[in-house]
Amino acid sequence: MGQVVSGVIARSRSAPVELVRIGIPDPGPGEAVVRVQACGVCETDLNHRDGRVGDGFPFLLGHEAAGVVEQVGSGVDDVAPGDFVILNWRAVCGGCRACRKGRPWNCLSPLTAAQPMVLADGTPLTPVLGLGACAEKILVHARQCTRADPSVAPAAAALLGCGVATGIGAALNTGAVERGDSVAVIGCDGIGSAAIAGARLAGADPIIAVDTDPRRLEWATTFGATHVIDATIADPAPRIRELTDGLGADVVIDSMGHLETWKQAFDARGPAGTLVMLGLPAADERMDIPLRELRVRGGAIKSSWYGDTLPSRDFPALIGLHRQGLLDLDAFVTETISLNEVEQALSKLRHREVLRSVVIP
């Protein structure tokens, strides 16, 4: 075993997370050890801790992170020790059907480290989304590392690894929002707020934010929402139609993933419009779709997985926008915390008190 460091694990379903010592192997062929400088606490971590995603306990939490490469194994040419990198959980393989068809953002066999990180007793850990970055150091596949401008604050850069890139990508990549499109985003959490920021970058107008929390609606306006709808006061779909000349929005993004919000998004979608499913529904949720509405209204219903992000293409571009003052990544960071505060951060996330808590190991 190469190194022993501290990391945050979920040992069993819905149990409080634990800060423990974990073993990090020396990097093998194609692998790298990264010293984590910042790691966001994301809804996906909460879903793994609660057993909504997978049953590979114990999980090593964390998957949106940035840090510095410390060691590399044989055959690694893209990154070197000392490089500042953003970690990504869809390292394209280059050989699967999606990659061969020129759609690497849909890679069917994303690359991860071959060796496991382990507990002190040798129990293998399941790293969340193949990363497990809520630790002082982690072992990853070298292609999970995307070099980035080291002048960007690690806490801001880390969020590109999942939440911010996912939300912006849902608007720009999946939803293909264009200048002058009308856009509605249902659910203004961190990812939903990023979708609003993406719509603003595309030149959409109006950009309509929907939520039940006035605080989140206020956050949404800072990222570019031109109108807000408190869903506890007004039915979102009719109000969205009012704000779009009675037609409905060109692109509606459901960041919540609940049956109720999906129905709202479906009803708020205009003729030939696009509905982007961004939030993760519960496994037992089912929906009835009026097929005639699908046929008559046209358009598309799309699922957005990682915002159809291609890290090698999108991370540098988003960093560039941040440096130009067009994308305020720092605004997504509600608080910075230590490794021993992750349980509290998950509670804040569940109760919608933060956009992002970011761990500084």
Side-chain angles (χ1 to χ4, degrees):
M1 187 56 61
Q3 303 183 61
V4 177
V5 302
S6 295
V8 178
I9 68 165
R11 195 179 296 273
S12 60
R13 182 186 179 109
S14 297
V17 303
E18 303 173 36
L19 179 60
V20 299
R21 300 294 280 173
I22 61 174
I24 309 295
D26 289 329
E31 296 176 336
V33 171
V34 175
R35 175 169 51 85
V36 177
Q37 292 184 312
C39 179
V41 180
C42 175
E43 285 86 350
T44 300
D45 298 307
L46 184 62
N47 287 334
H48 278 79
R49 196 281 299 274
D50 289 349
R52 292 187 68 206
V53 180
D55 57 359
F57 292 99
F59 288 112
L60 178 59
L61 298 183
H63 62 282
E64 58 177 28
V68 175
V69 176
E70 195 171 82
Q71 298 174 268
V72 297
S74 61
V76 175
D77 300 318
D78 293 339
V79 293
D83 284 346
F84 177 67
V85 296
I86 301 171
L87 299 175
N88 74 83
W89 50 266
R90 176 160 277 178
V92 300
C93 72
C96 70
R97 182 176 67 183
C99 288
R100 293 195 309 270
K101 292 173 66 177
R103 299 174 182 173
W105 49 87
N106 290 330
C107 180
L108 304 175
S109 302
L111 301 171
T112 58
Q115 302 178 83
M117 293 176 280
V118 299
L119 293 175
D121 62 3
T123 301
L125 291 162
T126 302
V128 168
L129 296 184
L131 285 173
C134 204
E136 293 172 322
K137 299 179 184 180
I138 59 170
L139 180 75
V140 298
H141 195 286
R143 290 195 197 173
Q144 291 180 287
C145 302
T146 303
R147 282 187 295 183
D149 185 340
S151 68
V152 178
L159 302 189
L160 290 178
C162 186
V164 172
T166 297
I168 291 177
L172 299 184
N173 300 330
T174 314
V177 176
E178 297 181 345
R179 183 172 60 253
D181 279 349
S182 54
V183 175
V185 178
I186 300 177
C188 301
D189 56 2
I191 295 176
S193 292
I196 289 169
R200 180 183 59 81
L201 287 170
D205 185 57
I207 302 171
I208 305 162
V210 180
D211 207 291
T212 59
D213 186 336
R215 174 176 44 192
R216 291 203 169 199
L217 291 173
E218 183 177 348
W219 287 338
T221 61
T222 68
F223 292 108
T226 60
H227 301 77
V228 298
I229 299 172
D230 185 335
T232 65
I233 298 174
D235 186 350
R239 180 63 180 139
I240 290 170
R241 288 195 292 271
E242 286 179 21
L243 294 170
T244 53
D245 299 322
L247 297 173
D250 294 307
V251 179
V252 184
I253 299 172
D254 175 16
S255 181
M256 300 303 296
H258 302 316
L259 184 58
E260 179 184 5
T261 56
W262 191 94
K263 289 179 177 177
Q264 291 170 352
F266 185 84
D267 291 342
R269 182 176 63 102
T274 299
L275 191 165
V276 177
M277 296 182 63
L278 183 55
L280 180 67
D284 60 349
E285 286 193 313
R286 299 289 185 272
M287 60 186 179
D288 293 322
I289 301 175
L291 293 181
R292 185 175 177 84
E293 280 294 299
L294 280 177
R295 174 65 180 83
V296 171
R297 202 181 305 185
I301 296 174
K302 297 183 177 182
S303 173
S304 186
W305 188 247
Y306 204 9
D308 293 323
T309 297
L310 183 61
S312 61
R313 175 194 66 191
D314 295 335
F315 289 179
L318 295 175
I319 289 289
L321 291 168
H322 174 66
R323 292 184 61 198
Q324 296 170 51
L326 300 174
L327 174 62
D328 186 359
L329 294 176
D330 297 312
F332 289 94
V333 181
T334 306
E335 62 175 0
T336 56
I337 61 173
S338 62
L339 282 169
N340 61 13
E341 295 176 287
V342 172
E343 179 64 29
Q344 297 95 311
L346 290 171
S347 177
K348 291 178 183 178
L349 191 65
R350 184 191 300 281
H351 293 98
R352 311 181 77 195
E353 297 173 13
V354 294
L355 284 174
R356 271 297 185 273
S357 302
V358 179
V359 176
I360 307 297

